[in-house]
């Protein structure tokens, strides 16, 4: 089956610093990847759609200058949380689109901003 | 509209019983639906999907039912096992929606021995 990895699996950082999260499709190519955020006991909320070779498309209310997305290759998308603050602490999950519509999800990255 | 969960309802079942998890979806134009299982601290895992031209689809120990009239989706798990304990989410998308998934609020399934 299609496998998606994320790195790191968890990260703790100081307020004001930037954190980069990687999402990789290991055994397939994905022109489209998605980034989600999930707060405790809540559902997944789509943050943005990452398209290989073009700018990401952000959902309403998501600050594109704060959550920088780069999709430089067919197997890698990165999410950078810039100037992180405690309210950015969350579980960040990516997915990669395999084929026409099937999304495979990564294991998630837990971010804690102190 | 989007479905945002502020709390997770819990379904408690005995091991061996059948479980039924329900979901009300939001967009009448949605034509593709998926059920995901999420264990604590992990990403969602695909369980089963169904398109809007179908009412029922079966997998191994799981069945998904779709009622488009009332915008309702259900997941039936036969002979529920302790390993089925997790949070279950339904998700919807529609053609022309750029493959975006809208997730439901989720239901926690607790299986007791």
């Amino acid at each position: 089956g299609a496998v998606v990895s994320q790195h790191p699996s968890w990260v703790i950082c100081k307020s004001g610093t930037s954190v980069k999260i990687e999402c990789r499709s290991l055994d397939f190519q994905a022109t489209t990847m998605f980034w989600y955020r999930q707060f405790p006991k809540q559902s997944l909320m789509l943050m943005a759609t990452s398209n290989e070779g073009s700018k990401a498309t952000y959902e309403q209310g998501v600050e594109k200058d704060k959550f920088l997305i780069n999709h430089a290759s067919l197997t890698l998308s990165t999410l950078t949380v810039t100037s992180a603050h405690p309210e950015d602490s969350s579980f960040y999950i990516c997915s990669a689109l395999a084929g026409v519509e099937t999304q495979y999800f990564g294991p998630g990255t837990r971010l804690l901003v102190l | 509209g989007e479905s945002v969960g502020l709390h997770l309802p819990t379904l408690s079942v005995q091991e061996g019983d059948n479980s039924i998890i329900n979901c009300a979806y939001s967009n009448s134009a949605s034509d593709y639906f998926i059920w995901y299982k999420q264990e604590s601290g992990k990403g969602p895992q695909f369980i089963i999907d169904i398109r809007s031209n179908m009412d029922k689809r079966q997998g191994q120990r799981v069945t998904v039912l779709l009622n488009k009239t009332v915008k309702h989706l259900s997941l039936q798990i036969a002979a529920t096992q302790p390993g089925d304990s997790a949070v279950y989410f339904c998700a919807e998308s529609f053609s022309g929606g750029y493959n975006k998934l809208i997730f439901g609020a989720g239901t926690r399934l607790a299986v007791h021995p």
Side-chain angles (χ1 to χ4, degrees), chain B residues 8-72:
Chain B
L8 287 175
T10 299
L11 174 66
S12 294
V13 300
Q14 291 294 122
E15 181 179 358
D17 287 352
N18 296 332
S19 302
I20 300 176
I21 300 171
N22 297 303
C23 173
Y25 63 91
S26 57
N27 188 351
S28 57
S30 293
D31 54 12
Y32 181 56
F33 307 88
I34 314 103
W35 278 101
Y36 288 96
K37 172 186 180 183
Q38 187 180 29
E39 297 176 308
S40 182
K42 298 183 179 180
Q45 176 186 355
F46 173 91
I47 301 175
I48 192 168
D49 60 0
I50 188 169
R51 298 186 187 282
S52 59
N53 61 352
M54 301 174 68
D55 298 322
K56 178 180 180 180
R57 190 165 187 223
Q58 289 184 293
Q60 186 177 12
R61 277 202 310 122
V62 295
T63 300
V64 55
L65 298 178
L66 174 63
N67 185 330
K68 295 180 289 294
T69 302
V70 294
K71 293 192 290 185
H72 184 267

Side-chain angles (χ1 to χ4, degrees), chain A residues 38 42-43 59 100-101 103, chain B residues 2 5 38 51 99-100 104:
Chain A
Q38 185 178 32
Q42 292 192 23
S43 188
E59 295 301 298
V100 178
E101 59 191 353
Q103 290 188 32
Chain B
E2 295 186 351
Q38 187 180 29
R51 298 186 187 282
N99 302 111
K100 292 182 184 180

Side-chain angles (χ1 to χ4, degrees), chain A residues 13-88:
Chain A
C13 69
K14 294 182 179 180
S15 184
T17 61
S18 295
V19 175
K20 179 185 285 188
I21 303 170
E22 294 185 348
C23 177
R24 293 182 185 271
S25 55
L26 298 185
D27 49 2
F28 65 102
Q29 293 182 332
T31 56
T32 303
M33 294 183 175
F34 300 90
W35 287 95
Y36 297 82
R37 180 167 52 184
Q38 185 178 32
F39 292 108
K41 297 185 179 181
Q42 292 192 23
S43 188
L44 283 76
M45 293 297 293
L46 179 64
M47 298 176 66
T49 302
S50 172
N51 300 296
E52 188 269 337
S54 65
K55 292 182 178 180
T57 305
Y58 291 82
E59 295 301 298
Q60 190 174 10
V62 178
E63 301 174 59
K64 62 180 181 180
D65 294 330
K66 181 168 184 63
F67 299 100
L68 301 179
I69 291 173
N70 184 283
H71 194 155
S73 78
L74 289 172
T75 59
L76 173 65
S77 175
T78 60
L79 169 68
T80 301
V81 184
T82 62
S83 187
H85 290 94
E87 57 267 29
D88 298 322

